[in-house]
Amino acid sequence: MGWFEVYSRLLGDALATGSRRWTEQEFAGLDLGDGRLDKRAKILMERLSANPTASIPMACESWSETCAAYRFLANPDVEWEDIMAPHWEQTQKRMNAYPVVLCLQDTTELDFNGQEATGLGPLNYEARRGMYVHPTYAVTPDREPLGVLDAWMWAREERDKDGVRHGRKESTRWIEGYERVAEMAAEMPATRLVYVADREADLLAMMARAQVLGTPADWLVRAKHNRCLPDGDGEKLWAYTSAGAALGEITFTMPGRDDQKARKVRQQLWAREVSIANGKAGTVSATCIVAREIDAPKGVKPVEWRLLTNRPALALDDAIELIDWYRARWEIEIYFNVLKNGCKVEALQLSAIDRIERALALFMIVAWRVAYLMRLGRTCPDLDAALFFDPDEIRGAYLLSKKPQPTEPPRLNEVLRLIAQLGGFLGRKSDGEPGVKTIWQGLQRVMDVATALQSMREGHG
């Protein structure tokens, strides 16, 4: 099944309803216990998605709407999990269309230092105030973002006079994250779910739990600990794995990050089945993969990854597939970038952590949509733009770009590139496809025009 057919299947409801707003589809089944609350959540989602970089007062269309938004976020009867529940359900529906889905897990800190919100806790330094967010982000092996599956939000407790920090052990989120993915795997027998995480998830407790459950979902984590093997001769995991001839090589392009330019990376790969000692509980069976860069440019630190997984890697293609899956973990970093720098959630001016959590529930869905549009414009450029944008939004993109709107329905990539150019994307041949930053900046301008067009039409009606 090709990309166009897959997305036509996924978006059948959108095809049937034409320009229906995406928020209505994503919030289908929302139940906050009161129809008025449901309506307010949908309106607020529309406002925030239309202007993701703006503050809540700037995103709202009037003072009364702003007041209503703050009342909604302050309502103790609204749980942030209930706000996200419809999106979780829609995400799982999208996942059903794929044979393999990567369930990426990671944690990001939100710095609210200097704000007076109650309920915040220390970050990496006791004096810094904020909270943590840990989502499970579903993507395909081709890196199509399907949505957020689950999330944890919390603030650390202060250390007591003896320097001890009480409260729930934070590492349990990695184990519970796997358990949640495993539960979904039982509900989706036609889709293989793969739990993917970085070094913080290198926990024997997580691997042992997966083994006890019968590993209903695969797991793939970057190894942090160079463990001694259980045979007693002191041999270490990474040296044991990379002893002998390599399985082969992999070459890929490492994308540019911060001040580092994109470059070609060539790695040699080793893979061996291992048993890892787990105390009195026995051993955990796993495959260890070592991917070591060769011929790195002078002055550049070679890229080396050590991965652990429950999946066998008997041949080179098996190891390459697992490396590609691990490389897709970068998508959750892009997602955090949109959430923090695009949606500017750390600038939220709310008086308590529960209010921040409700706002974050909305912004996490908005951030997914921005990342989703970016990736879709690259992989499915010929989809009808009307599946994702209202007619006024499409018209606004052409008006601001000072280009005539085509008589034929415009394609998704065409509209996305116009939006990105409004956000600073130059669109030269050497620039490739637009990224999330220019898309979210351009969306703000397009949504402003769309709102004006709607207001003019209603005023003259």
Side-chain angles (χ1 to χ4, degrees), residues 209-236:
R209 180 59 177 155
Q211 190 165 277
V212 167
L213 293 174
T215 321
D218 292 328
W219 55 267
L220 172 66
V221 302
R222 186 172 177 182
K224 179 180 180 180
H225 307 291
N226 190 15
R227 298 176 174 90
C228 291
L229 297 178
D231 57 12
D233 64 1
E235 191 167 16
K236 292 293 189 75

Side-chain angles (χ1 to χ4, degrees), residues 31-51:
D31 184 7
L32 300 178
D34 186 318
R36 292 168 297 180
L37 292 175
D38 296 343
K39 183 179 180 180
R40 179 54 53 194
K42 292 176 182 179
I43 291 173
L44 188 51
M45 173 65 78
E46 286 187 11
R47 299 294 183 259
L48 296 177
S49 63
N51 205 344

Side-chain angles (χ1 to χ4, degrees), residues 110-113 117-132 154-158 165 353:
L110 299 180
D111 188 342
F112 295 108
N113 207 34
T118 60
L120 298 176
L123 297 176
N124 57 338
Y125 298 105
E126 292 296 307
R128 291 181 64 225
R129 313 298 294 173
M131 61 181 290
Y132 291 87
W154 75 97
R156 284 176 174 165
E157 292 191 15
E158 305 282 352
R165 194 189 310 281
I353 190 172

Side-chain angles (χ1 to χ4, degrees), residues 157-188:
E157 292 191 15
E158 305 282 352
R159 295 186 186 276
D160 63 19
K161 61 181 181 180
D162 297 320
V164 177
R165 194 189 310 281
H166 297 283
R168 192 177 184 194
K169 192 174 181 181
E170 291 183 8
S171 61
T172 60
R173 70 189 183 277
W174 300 101
I175 303 167
E176 291 181 359
Y178 177 83
E179 290 174 338
R180 176 69 183 114
V181 172
E183 289 172 5
M184 279 185 285
E187 302 167 2
M188 306 172 64

